[in-house]
Amino acid sequence: DQQVKQNSPSLSVQEGRISILNCDYTNSMFDYFLWYKKYPAEGPTFLISISSIKDKNEDGRFTVFLNKSAKHLSLHIVPSQPGDSAVYFCATFQGGSEKLVFGKGTKLTVNP
Amino acid sequence: SAVISQKPSRDICQRGTSLTIQCQVDSQVTMMFWYRQQPGQSLTLIATANQGSEATYESGFVIDKFPISRPNLTFSTLTVSNMSPEDSSIYLCSVRRGQGNYGYTFGSGTRLTVV
C-alpha cells in the first residue's frame, strides 16, 4: 500500500516552460516532504523540501507547494531547462521515524 | 554534507551466487540505510545499519538474504545472497545529510543484473 503516490510516470515539456510534478500522500500525519532528482547511473540527490507548517517553499527555479487538505504536493520548475531532464521522486518520513518512503518517480524530459 | 563512495557500480551475476556491495562515507555517521529500486518501482528501504549492533530489517527483507555489516562509523556492506533474477535491481546506500538537516545523501548505486 503506497503511502506516497506519483501517478504520472512521465512528463515532457519544452525548454523555458513550466514543469509541474505532482505527488499525493495518504497519511495526514506526514509533516515533512522532500523532492529528489535522479540522473541515470547516479544516486538520488536532494532538491528541495517543505514542512507542513508551510504551504510553499522556493529555491531558485524550484518551488514546492503543499496542500494539506488535499494531501497533495507539487514541484514547479520555472523555467525548465534540458539539464532538468531526470527522474523526480517525492518522499516523506514514515510514521515519525527517520525512514524515508518514496513515490515511484516521474521521468521529466525537457526538450530543447 | 557527507560524500558516499559505493561500489561496484554495476555487476552481472549468475543465479545462486552472492554479491557484496560496499559503501564508504567520508565522515562518521550513526545510521546508514540500504535501499532497493526494482525496475519501474520506488526506492524501498531494506534495512537500517547501526554501528555495533545488528541491522534492523523492514518487512519483507530478512538477514539471511541480505546480511549487512557495519564494522565502523564510516563503512557498511550489503550482501545479496543466493541471487535470483528477481534480485535484479539498483541497490543504494544512504546517510543523513548533516546535522539538523532532514533528508539523506545517497551513494551512486549498484546496478545488479542476475542471469
Side-chain angles (χ1 to χ4, degrees):
Chain A
D1 189 25
Q2 272 209 293
Q3 300 178 66
V4 180
K5 300 177 184 179
Q6 293 177 260
N7 292 319
S8 297
S10 63
L11 174 68
S12 183
V13 301
Q14 284 300 119
E15 181 179 5
R17 306 294 292 269
I18 185 172
S19 296
I20 300 176
L21 298 102
N22 294 304
C23 180
D24 297 298
Y25 58 94
T26 58
N27 191 334
S28 58
M29 297 300 292
F30 292 153
D31 60 2
Y32 201 89
F33 302 90
L34 308 96
W35 285 93
Y36 283 83
K37 178 170 70 174
K38 185 182 184 301
Y39 294 116
E42 295 183 14
T45 56
F46 173 75
L47 188 58
I48 193 170
S49 62
I50 188 167
S51 164
S52 62
I53 63 173
K54 294 185 174 182
D55 54 17
K56 176 183 174 181
N57 189 27
E58 190 172 354
D59 183 2
R61 297 186 295 114
F62 303 90
T63 303
V64 56
F65 295 92
L66 177 61
N67 182 333
K68 291 183 285 293
S69 61
K71 290 187 279 188
H72 175 85
L73 63 156
S74 60
L75 174 68
H76 293 212
I77 307 173
V78 182
S80 301
Q81 300 173 353
D84 296 328
S85 298
V87 178
Y88 290 78
F89 294 92
C90 66
T92 188
F93 289 95
Q94 177 181 324
S97 73
E98 294 198 36
K99 302 172 186 176
L100 281 175
V101 291
F102 289 84
K104 288 187 176 183
T106 297
K107 183 178 182 180
L108 173 66
T109 302
V110 180
N111 301 302
Chain B
S1 59
V3 175
I4 303 175
S5 299
Q6 183 175 344
K7 58 181 180 181
S9 58
R10 59 174 58 214
D11 208 341
I12 300 174
C13 299
Q14 296 291 323
R15 67 175 69 203
T17 63
S18 299
L19 176 71
T20 296
I21 302 166
Q22 300 180 5
C23 271
Q24 179 75 52
V25 189
D26 68 344
S27 57
Q28 293 185 339
V29 293
T30 305
M31 290 191 288
M32 293 181 73
F33 302 87
W34 287 96
Y35 285 85
R36 178 177 75 179
Q37 185 185 13
Q38 294 178 301
Q41 302 298 314
S42 61
L43 286 80
T44 301
L45 182 64
I46 297 172
T48 303
N50 291 319
Q51 192 267 335
S53 63
E54 276 201 4
T56 303
Y57 289 82
E58 298 300 304
S59 175
F61 298 96
V62 296
I63 188 171
D64 289 346
K65 176 67 175 176
F66 297 101
I68 288 171
S69 78
R70 186 80 203 276
N72 56 53
L73 290 172
T74 63
F75 186 78
S76 180
T77 67
L78 169 77
T79 298
V80 186
S81 302
N82 188 25
M83 289 184 283
S84 67
E86 292 71 35
D87 295 319
S88 298
S89 297
I90 298 173
Y91 294 85
L92 298 125
C93 61
S94 175
V95 300
R96 187 164 180 159
R97 266 181 94 231
Q99 279 300 105
N101 277 334
Y102 288 105
Y104 297 81
T105 299
F106 288 82
S108 54
T110 297
R111 183 180 292 273
L112 171 62
T113 302
V114 183
V115 297

